[in-house]
Amino acid sequence: MSASSMEFVSVLISLAAFLFAAWLFSWVKKQPLDNERIIQVSGLIQQGARTFLKREFLVLARFCICAALLIFLFLPSPIWTGSFVPNLMMVIAYLAGTVFSGFAGKIGIEVATIANGKCAVAAKKGISPAFMTGFRGGAVMGMAVVGSSLLGVALVYLLTGDSTICLGFSFGASSMALFAKAGGGIFTKTADISADLTGKVELGIPEDDPRNPAVIADNVGDNVGDVAGMGADLFDSNVASMAAALVMAASLDKLNGQTTFVSMVFCYAALGLLASIIGVLCARIGKNGNPTRALNYSTYVTTAIYIALTAAATAVFGYNWNIWCACIIGLLVGVIIGIATDYFTDDTKSPVHNVAKASHTGPAFTILSGVSYGFISVLPAMFGIGVSALAAYKLCEGLDPTGVHSMEYALFGISMAAVGMLSIVGMIVSNDAYGPIVDNARGLAEMGDLGDEVLDITDELDSAGNTVKAVTKGFAVAAAGLTVIALLGAFMSEVNEAAALYGLEGISGFDVMNPLVFFGMLVGAAIPAVFSAMLMLGVDRNAQRMVAEIHRQFKEIAGLREGTALPEYDKCINIATDGAIRELIPAGLMAIAATVFVGFIGGVQAIGGFLTGNIISGLLLALFMSNAGGLWDNSKKYVESGHEGGKGSETHKAAVVGDTVGDPFKDTAGPSINTQITVVSLVASLMSTLFLTLSIFG
Amino acid sequence: MSASSMEFVSVLISLAAFLFAAWLFSWVKKQPLDNERIIQVSGLIQQGARTFLKREFLVLARFCICAALLIFLFLPSPIWTGSFVPNLMMVIAYLAGTVFSGFAGKIGIEVATIANGKCAVAAKKGISPAFMTGFRGGAVMGMAVVGSSLLGVALVYLLTGDSTICLGFSFGASSMALFAKAGGGIFTKTADISADLTGKVELGIPEDDPRNPAVIADNVGDNVGDVAGMGADLFDSNVASMAAALVMAASLDKLNGQTTFVSMVFCYAALGLLASIIGVLCARIGKNGNPTRALNYSTYVTTAIYIALTAAATAVFGYNWNIWCACIIGLLVGVIIGIATDYFTDDTKSPVHNVAKASHTGPAFTILSGVSYGFISVLPAMFGIGVSALAAYKLCEGLDPTGVHSMEYALFGISMAAVGMLSIVGMIVSNDAYGPIVDNARGLAEMGDLGDEVLDITDELDSAGNTVKAVTKGFAVAAAGLTVIALLGAFMSEVNEAAALYGLEGISGFDVMNPLVFFGMLVGAAIPAVFSAMLMLGVDRNAQRMVAEIHRQFKEIAGLREGTALPEYDKCINIATDGAIRELIPAGLMAIAATVFVGFIGGVQAIGGFLTGNIISGLLLALFMSNAGGLWDNSKKYVESGHEGGKGSETHKAAVVGDTVGDPFKDTAGPSINTQITVVSLVASLMSTLFLTLSIFG
């Protein structure tokens, strides 16, 4: 089957995903919602989320215009050196990347803010309908994300036939992800921390108490951070993995005068989406079923179906089995990393218990033990990513009949391992978006006075969401890790293409004994640390503003404390929104500026080192922060469920400190590092011509 | 001047350093000590420190016997493949490395545990005599460390003429450093945390109150962790930098059929020692002088003298000026990094103020802001190390007249930058050892009831010690960073020598696009995180044992709380000692085992990646942990000095949590990472032949 017909099939399957999402959406909409209070509050949440998205899109639009202008002038090569057509196409692809990603995020937010209330009400009828409402709501997001990412990449490639332009689309997705994930992360943690500090700690009122002015902002935050942000993050990783694979597939196809490899990338990606659709359809839960098991079950079903479908396609279309193996190894390693991550954050395992126990001695020991387990938890994932990259490389380096281009084949193998790892991303996003929906449902059930039985059910659904979240986060980081290795290969391809164009010498790698590479590596390694520090300081500053506002409301609004007057929820939402955008921009610009600086100082070799250092330290810190944060969260919950002194004890207070530290770790800084790495990799790839021709020492 | 005569001069200058140290020692001994209580307590401290050293040396001896046996069988090449003589020499050099380092540590501990009491008593006569006692006590250690490291390397090279055997000496020093720094770090923080938790927090008695059973252990800990441990650490870095430079100098000399480069290494190292001796002699303080200024002044004097002396030597002996430049750039960048580090931990600068301010909102914000500034603080040091490596490389790569070996010259330049950075290590160790002496003096002054005036003076001396400590720590990490880059070069030299011997193909670098390198890099990057986690969990476990013992004593010893009965200090010392050794060994073995595992799996390419990843992530984490720890410590002190609510406020409590988290960060895990990196690098270099010939995929 030719590549262009496979792109066509990809377009068709993504349209099918949209149809499926529409059906799921209408199913969710049809569920009853009969509680006045819940209708009112979930309306407020929806309105708040829309406000945030609108502001975010407006700022992003300004950012995009600047970026588009720069792209038009300089990328893929300076406009004065040739035709303006590729530059224009690059601009269009870039803007399409932001629009497609934003569109998926918008759909996700809309359904999530409807499904939350419906899920709460459905819980009155039992766990099964509540689960289905939450899960199908999440699946709308999953289908939208994967459908629009595949559709976008396929359309760009179908129309331009140029894989470099796909990098532009990917860069657009990254811009969106930077705003959505880092901005959403700052928003959600600002609100969460402020609500907890003033509500639970100062006033002693329960979580989700409607008297707390930050409570709606907190619920909005779950949606903008975990639904829209996480969706944009995985949209970004998914597109980046496809784009990197396409760059390498196209260059191999050019060598061989065929289109098999490009066709293979689209085929495998489309089958991943198909497998996810089937997986979502398979999700079921019995009357007294276990929601965690149901979520995991559908993940495993998706994995199995994907393996079967790709094997069949490989046999039918005569694709290479070694590449198929690389792809499946990527997928399996991703699942294994997810399970290993789960060990460090699961409340039935010893790390959570040990941190809870250490909290006996005070908050300092909560922190120390959590940091320690977080550090240890990076090993399995780093090892797994290393092994899968190594295996993919070794499987594919021998494929070149001439033996001259074995590295290109090997790098294509790695990029296909990344595609494999991300193949079930539709399922992953569905599971992940399920989390904030049921979390919100729990809050709404409390505000709507639905009774203890309903609260028990929503608690169980929520706890399943937390467990699955840890697994999917490990998965997302691992996938980003493999993708950026592939992007490093894409960067090298881009450099060599530009070198050929300018009659310069190409490069065959980045030697760490080259001082430019080492210099770049040291600087690149520092960037994720500085980036996450800037985000965390942003959360801190923003939370202080919001706490001040909450104090003001309690002082100035008569009857608020007694529950006879309503707080001004929108003020808190505005603070979170403005602050998120204000604090995010310097961090993003810092990362991009560092890349440009190193590139113009040390040229492509320094950038190769920079990307390597950035990947290594980024993976390390992202895994550490995500896992430590999840661990603290679950330790607190473990104590609250009656262990080590239970709620209200000194141990609990210490565990709450851990949770508060962990929140920006796991929801702001940790997952944003993924995006930072991708942004930096894409900036490097897109500017490769400039770095090659204009650097000082390179 | 020929190399062997320069080695002879090195031996003479190191003997001069020993004479100078002996003179300083006798000067300190001559100072009066007339307080019964202080004599008694400082005797207890001395005894405790001796107990720890003795135990440590015993366990180390067993470890060394195993290591020596393995070295004899396998290193530098398997004994069955040639003569046993080099292997025997390697064993002797290895054992000499541990003995020389241990000897310096023993001297340092002896003088420090005498000088502390004398310093307290001298404070009755004013700040000037107290400062001189503390400083000269520290200088004994400084001279002993540098004298014995230079003496050892010079003797080994003089007797064997083989630079690879010097790596064996260096490995001995690393073994000692692993025990002294990591073990001492666990000891000191176990005691410190337990004393604080039970004393200040639970009982509300002041720091250094003699009723606290852990108070002597705490004072012992200052000595074994900060004097012996830090001394062994810098002994290790110093020897490693010389050994790495010698390996490369010898291979260049062999190429050119001369001895200039080896002679240069010894000449520059010996002049560094000479400059330090003069610098120590210049240290003076006026009657109302500022001790911080006095310490910094002597550091700058040493730097200036070193620059002048090496310039003169370069002119006289006709050394190459580019290499001199590389060396001086290393030194200056080291000083600049020290100053940049100071910014993040100085209590007159904004990071300390901001963390204190954040503590208002509770301990979670102390942690979050401290982690954030700690993350940001890595950037200047990483950048500085990168720039100095780049500059040294660029300065020296053009020196090869044939142009074939420019990388060897460049790597020699980097190793000389490391030698330059470590040239003033005699001064650095003196300043650093001053810290725990005056810290102890403060405690003794409190226990000996010397009055508030004396306490004020010792507080001022102590605060100067803390400030200088932050600077020297940044310096030590940076020096280790450059040294390990040089060791990477040494590893490559070793591999190529072995390859030539076995008729295999040599290597010219480590390409990150090679999947074996990337695999090694990912695993290597995880090791410092796991290593420091294991040490911190060790401190945690050990502190819990000691807290239990303290509780037991307060329960069982009648009159202890009232001060009419003495606690059983020795029990606490024993717990700290046993625990330190027990917790340390698994961490050290893990790092070594990971190196061996990766080496046998992926061969020399994987090890090249492993070392690179290890260096990158090790530097990142060491800088982060050291700086964040220092920042929290000083924030607490800043609050205690009356800011943001002062002592006893909620802000203070939050700041104390930060300090408690920071303690194992900055005194156990952070600085031990240096040693871990060096140990791993040396294991790799020493086993290079085995990895080259016996790996699975390599």
Side-chain angles (χ1 to χ4, degrees):
Chain A
M1 207 160 176
S2 83
S4 62
S5 51
M6 202 49 93
E7 289 139 39
F8 202 67
V9 170
S10 298
V11 171
L12 287 184
I13 292 192
S14 21
L15 294 178
F18 280 116
L19 285 180
F20 182 50
W23 178 78
L24 290 170
F25 203 157
S26 74
W27 184 89
V28 169
K29 267 198 156 168
K30 258 187 280 173
Q31 303 310 304
L33 181 58
D34 54 8
N35 182 304
E36 267 312 305
R37 178 81 185 132
I38 290 184
I39 293 175
Q40 185 201 1
V41 175
S42 93
L44 285 171
I45 295 175
Q46 192 170 49
Q47 216 180 306
R50 282 180 185 160
T51 309
F52 173 78
L53 275 195
K54 208 167 142 189
R55 288 267 185 95
E56 189 187 59
F57 287 167
L58 274 176
V59 181
L60 179 66
R62 264 178 273 164
F63 177 91
C64 286
I65 291 171
C66 301
L69 201 70
L70 288 171
I71 290 173
F72 184 68
L73 287 175
F74 294 107
L75 300 176
S77 50
I79 194 165
W80 53 89
T81 63
S83 152
F84 75 96
V85 178
N87 293 40
L88 186 64
M89 288 202 296
M90 188 68 101
V91 166
I92 295 172
Y94 170 76
L95 294 176
T98 61
V99 171
F100 274 63
S101 173
F103 173 68
K106 175 78 182 156
I107 291 180
I109 284 282
E110 285 301 316
V111 69
T113 51
I114 292 171
N116 52 11
K118 310 242 174 183
C119 173
V121 172
K124 289 198 285 185
K125 283 188 271 170
I127 195 162
S128 174
F131 172 81
M132 288 311 281
T133 313
F135 181 75
R136 292 196 160 167
V140 173
M141 177 69 175
M143 292 303 118
V145 162
V146 190
S148 60
S149 57
L150 183 59
L151 182 67
V153 175
L155 281 179
V156 169
Y157 197 79
L158 205 54
L159 296 175
T160 67
D162 183 347
S163 55
T164 307
I165 305 290
C166 291
L167 288 179
F169 183 80
S170 184
F171 187 47
S174 284
S175 303
M176 183 69 218
L178 190 63
F179 276 77
K181 184 71 231 173
I186 296 175
F187 184 113
T188 179
K189 289 307 120 182
T190 299
D192 189 11
I193 287 176
S194 310
D196 277 5
L197 267 182
T198 51
K200 280 200 262 183
V201 180
E202 290 178 12
L203 303 170
I205 57 180
E207 199 169 338
D208 300 324
D209 190 296
R211 286 171 290 174
N212 194 327
V215 74
I216 300 289
D218 189 11
N219 281 311
V220 171
D222 289 343
N223 290 294
V224 301
D226 289 351
V227 179
M230 181 274 317
D233 181 19
L234 283 168
F235 184 102
D236 177 33
S237 293
N238 196 29
V239 168
S241 76
M242 282 191 272
L246 279 177
V247 167
M248 272 168 301
S251 91
L252 287 180
D253 278 345
K254 209 164 142 192
L255 279 176
N256 300 325
Q258 51 169 38
T259 55
T260 319
F261 291 122
V262 168
S263 137
M264 196 170 182
V265 173
F266 281 111
C267 175
Y268 281 20
L271 291 178
L273 180 49
L274 198 60
S276 299
I277 294 177
I278 302 173
V280 168
L281 281 171
C282 288
R284 283 278 174 284
I285 185 171
K287 256 216 153 135
N288 302 307
N290 178 330
T292 312
R293 206 172 303 152
L295 292 171
N296 284 336
Y297 173 73
S298 47
T299 307
Y300 297 138
V301 166
T302 310
T303 308
I305 294 173
Y306 182 71
I307 295 176
L309 285 177
T310 47
T314 308
V316 171
F317 300 123
Y319 294 147
N320 187 292
W321 284 101
N322 283 29
I323 300 178
W324 177 80
C325 272
C327 178
I328 299 303
I329 286 177
L331 175 59
L332 294 180
V333 168
V335 173
I336 292 170
I337 290 174
I339 294 171
T341 308
D342 180 51
Y343 171 78
F344 287 96
T345 52
D346 189 325
D347 64 1
T348 62
K349 303 288 185 334
S350 69
V352 167
H353 297 183
N354 288 345
V355 170
K357 214 163 149 193
S359 305
H360 254 314
T361 333
F365 294 88
T366 316
I367 302 297
L368 281 172
S369 54
V371 167
S372 303
Y373 284 113
F375 274 162
I376 294 177
S377 75
V378 304
L379 186 61
M382 302 279 274
F383 186 74
I385 297 171
V387 165
S388 54
L390 186 57
Y393 195 103
K394 288 278 164 197
L395 276 167
C396 301
E397 69 173 344
L399 295 183
D400 184 18
T402 68
V404 185
H405 298 281
S406 46
M407 181 178 279
E408 279 90 336
Y409 279 86
L411 287 173
F412 179 60
I414 293 181
S415 72
M416 286 306 283
V419 169
M421 208 182 254
L422 281 156
S423 59
I424 58 165
V425 72
M427 196 63 223
I428 299 289
V429 176
S430 304
N431 282 353
D432 229 22
Y434 157 91
I437 294 176
V438 294
D439 190 0
N440 265 214
R442 197 214 162 277
L444 291 169
E446 176 147 355
M447 291 192 241
D449 278 331
L450 295 188
D452 282 349
E453 218 166 293
V454 168
L455 276 182
D456 282 347
I457 287 178
T458 51
D459 269 341
E460 198 179 337
L461 293 176
D462 187 21
S463 147
N466 275 323
T467 309
V468 172
K469 198 168 154 186
V471 180
T472 55
K473 252 177 203 160
F475 195 91
V477 176
L482 266 189
T483 305
V484 286
I485 301 179
L487 279 176
L488 199 62
F491 171 66
M492 206 168 76
S493 288
E494 292 291 320
V495 170
N496 283 329
E497 223 164 85
L501 206 69
Y502 285 82
L504 296 168
E505 210 184 320
I507 51 173
S508 63
F510 308 101
D511 181 2
V512 295
M513 301 310 289
N514 178 335
L516 287 168
V517 174
F518 212 96
F519 165 75
M521 206 142 61
L522 286 167
V523 178
I527 300 305
V530 177
F531 179 79
S532 43
M534 289 173 82
L535 294 186
M536 289 195 288
L537 289 174
V539 169
D540 195 11
R541 272 192 295 271
N542 215 19
Q544 284 179 9
R545 280 177 221 133
M546 195 185 280
V547 166
E549 167 64 19
I550 297 170
H551 286 164
R552 185 197 66 77
Q553 292 199 16
F554 272 104
K555 219 194 301 182
E556 295 179 8
I557 301 176
L560 179 55
R561 201 176 295 256
E562 298 72 29
T564 56
L566 273 181
E568 298 164 1
Y569 297 124
D570 56 329
K571 292 251 164 84
C572 286
I573 293 174
N574 286 339
I575 289 177
T577 305
D578 292 343
I581 290 164
R582 196 198 307 174
E583 304 291 355
L584 145 78
I585 291 175
L589 287 182
M590 182 280 301
I592 295 174
T595 316
V596 174
F597 172 78
V598 169
F600 283 129
I601 293 283
V604 290
Q605 287 294 330
I607 283 291
F610 181 85
L611 296 182
T612 309
N614 198 257
I615 293 170
I616 297 284
S617 111
L619 280 178
L620 184 79
L621 294 179
L623 287 163
F624 158 60
M625 297 179 100
S626 296
N627 295 347
L631 175 55
W632 281 316
D633 189 352
N634 282 338
S635 288
K636 185 199 71 172
K637 292 202 172 110
Y638 178 74
V639 172
E640 282 175 351
S641 69
H643 299 88
E644 305 289 341
K647 245 182 168 165
S649 64
E650 285 299 314
T651 312
H652 182 229
K653 276 189 199 156
V656 169
V657 172
D659 184 38
T660 314
V661 172
D663 266 347
F665 269 38
K666 75 177 198 301
D667 292 325
T668 311
S672 300
I673 292 177
N674 283 359
T675 317
Q676 181 265 302
I677 300 178
T678 322
V679 168
V680 157
S681 299
L682 289 167
V683 169
S685 283
L686 289 169
M687 296 185 69
S688 52
T689 307
L690 297 175
F691 294 153
L692 185 71
T693 51
L694 292 177
S695 76
I696 300 176
F697 289 111
Chain B
M1 207 160 175
S2 83
S4 63
S5 50
M6 202 49 92
E7 290 139 39
F8 202 67
V9 170
S10 298
V11 171
L12 287 184
I13 292 190
S14 18
L15 293 178
F18 279 117
L19 285 181
F20 182 51
W23 177 77
L24 290 170
F25 203 157
S26 73
W27 184 89
V28 169
K29 266 198 153 168
K30 258 188 279 173
Q31 304 308 305
L33 181 58
D34 54 6
N35 182 303
E36 266 313 304
R37 177 80 183 133
I38 289 184
I39 292 174
Q40 186 201 1
V41 174
S42 93
L44 284 172
I45 295 174
Q46 193 169 48
Q47 216 180 306
R50 282 180 184 161
T51 307
F52 173 77
L53 274 195
K54 209 168 140 189
R55 288 267 185 94
E56 189 187 60
F57 286 167
L58 274 177
V59 181
L60 179 66
R62 263 178 274 163
F63 177 90
C64 285
I65 290 172
C66 301
L69 200 70
L70 289 172
I71 290 174
F72 184 67
L73 288 175
F74 294 107
L75 300 176
S77 50
I79 194 164
W80 54 87
T81 63
S83 152
F84 74 97
V85 178
N87 294 38
L88 186 65
M89 290 203 296
M90 188 68 99
V91 167
I92 294 171
Y94 171 76
L95 293 176
T98 62
V99 171
F100 274 62
S101 172
F103 173 68
K106 174 77 182 160
I107 291 179
I109 284 281
E110 284 302 316
V111 69
T113 52
I114 292 172
N116 53 10
K118 310 243 173 181
C119 174
V121 171
K124 288 198 286 188
K125 281 188 271 168
I127 195 164
S128 173
F131 172 80
M132 288 311 281
T133 313
F135 181 75
R136 292 196 160 169
V140 173
M141 178 69 174
M143 293 302 118
V145 162
V146 191
S148 60
S149 59
L150 183 59
L151 182 66
V153 175
L155 281 180
V156 169
Y157 197 78
L158 205 56
L159 296 175
T160 67
D162 183 346
S163 56
T164 308
I165 305 290
C166 291
L167 288 179
F169 183 81
S170 185
F171 187 47
S174 283
S175 302
M176 182 71 218
L178 189 63
F179 276 78
K181 185 71 232 175
I186 296 176
F187 184 112
T188 180
K189 288 308 120 180
T190 299
D192 189 11
I193 287 177
S194 310
D196 278 5
L197 267 183
T198 52
K200 280 199 263 183
V201 180
E202 290 179 10
L203 303 169
I205 56 181
E207 199 169 340
D208 298 324
D209 189 295
R211 286 172 292 174
N212 193 330
V215 73
I216 301 290
D218 189 10
N219 281 311
V220 171
D222 289 343
N223 289 295
V224 301
D226 289 352
V227 178
M230 182 272 319
D233 181 18
L234 284 168
F235 184 101
D236 177 33
S237 294
N238 196 27
V239 168
S241 77
M242 283 191 271
L246 279 177
V247 167
M248 273 169 299
S251 91
L252 288 180
D253 279 345
K254 209 165 140 192
L255 279 177
N256 301 325
Q258 51 168 34
T259 56
T260 320
F261 290 123
V262 167
S263 136
M264 196 169 181
V265 174
F266 280 111
C267 174
Y268 281 21
L271 290 178
L273 180 48
L274 199 61
S276 297
I277 293 178
I278 303 172
V280 168
L281 281 171
C282 289
R284 283 277 175 285
I285 185 172
K287 256 220 156 131
N288 302 307
N290 178 332
T292 312
R293 206 173 302 151
L295 292 172
N296 284 336
Y297 173 73
S298 46
T299 306
Y300 296 138
V301 166
T302 309
T303 308
I305 293 173
Y306 182 70
I307 295 176
L309 285 177
T310 47
T314 308
V316 171
F317 300 122
Y319 294 145
N320 186 292
W321 284 102
N322 283 29
I323 300 179
W324 177 79
C325 272
C327 178
I328 300 304
I329 286 177
L331 175 59
L332 294 180
V333 168
V335 173
I336 292 169
I337 290 174
I339 294 170
T341 307
D342 180 52
Y343 171 78
F344 286 95
T345 52
D346 190 324
D347 64 1
T348 61
K349 304 288 185 333
S350 71
V352 168
H353 297 183
N354 288 347
V355 170
K357 213 163 151 194
S359 305
H360 254 315
T361 333
F365 294 88
T366 317
I367 302 297
L368 281 172
S369 54
V371 167
S372 302
Y373 284 113
F375 274 162
I376 295 176
S377 75
V378 305
L379 186 61
M382 302 280 274
F383 186 75
I385 297 171
V387 165
S388 54
L390 187 56
Y393 195 103
K394 287 277 165 198
L395 275 167
C396 301
E397 68 173 343
L399 295 183
D400 183 18
T402 67
V404 186
H405 298 281
S406 46
M407 180 176 281
E408 280 89 337
Y409 278 87
L411 287 174
F412 179 60
I414 292 182
S415 71
M416 287 306 284
V419 168
M421 208 181 254
L422 280 156
S423 58
I424 58 165
V425 72
M427 196 64 223
I428 298 290
V429 176
S430 304
N431 281 354
D432 230 21
Y434 156 92
I437 294 176
V438 295
D439 190 358
N440 266 214
R442 195 212 163 279
L444 290 170
E446 176 147 357
M447 292 194 240
D449 278 330
L450 296 187
D452 281 349
E453 218 165 294
V454 169
L455 278 182
D456 283 348
I457 288 177
T458 51
D459 268 341
E460 198 179 338
L461 294 176
D462 188 21
S463 147
N466 275 324
T467 309
V468 171
K469 198 167 153 185
V471 181
T472 55
K473 251 178 204 160
F475 195 90
V477 177
L482 266 190
T483 305
V484 287
I485 300 179
L487 279 177
L488 200 61
F491 171 66
M492 207 168 75
S493 286
E494 293 291 321
V495 170
N496 282 331
E497 223 164 85
L501 207 67
Y502 285 82
L504 296 168
E505 211 185 320
I507 52 173
S508 62
F510 308 102
D511 181 1
V512 295
M513 301 309 288
N514 178 336
L516 288 168
V517 174
F518 212 96
F519 165 75
M521 207 143 60
L522 286 166
V523 178
I527 300 305
V530 177
F531 179 79
S532 43
M534 289 173 82
L535 295 186
M536 288 194 291
L537 289 174
V539 169
D540 195 10
R541 272 192 294 269
N542 215 20
Q544 284 179 9
R545 279 178 223 132
M546 196 186 281
V547 166
E549 167 65 20
I550 297 170
H551 286 164
R552 185 198 65 79
Q553 292 198 16
F554 272 105
K555 217 188 316 178
E556 295 181 7
I557 302 175
L560 179 54
R561 201 176 295 254
E562 298 72 30
T564 55
L566 274 182
E568 297 166 359
Y569 296 124
D570 56 329
K571 291 252 165 83
C572 286
I573 294 174
N574 286 339
I575 289 177
T577 306
D578 292 343
I581 291 165
R582 197 197 306 175
E583 304 291 354
L584 144 78
I585 290 175
L589 287 182
M590 181 280 302
I592 295 175
T595 317
V596 174
F597 172 79
V598 170
F600 282 128
I601 294 283
V604 290
Q605 287 293 331
I607 283 291
F610 181 85
L611 295 182
T612 310
N614 198 257
I615 294 170
I616 298 283
S617 113
L619 281 177
L620 184 80
L621 294 179
L623 288 163
F624 158 59
M625 297 181 99
S626 297
N627 295 348
L631 175 55
W632 279 317
D633 189 354
N634 283 339
S635 287
K636 185 199 70 173
K637 292 202 171 107
Y638 177 74
V639 172
E640 282 176 353
S641 68
H643 299 88
E644 305 288 342
K647 243 181 169 165
S649 64
E650 283 299 314
T651 312
H652 181 228
K653 275 189 200 156
V656 169
V657 171
D659 184 39
T660 313
V661 172
D663 267 346
F665 268 38
K666 74 177 199 302
D667 293 325
T668 309
S672 300
I673 292 176
N674 284 357
T675 317
Q676 182 265 301
I677 301 177
T678 322
V679 168
V680 158
S681 299
L682 289 167
V683 168
S685 283
L686 289 170
M687 295 185 71
S688 51
T689 308
L690 298 176
F691 294 152
L692 186 71
T693 51
L694 292 178
S695 76
I696 300 176
F697 290 111

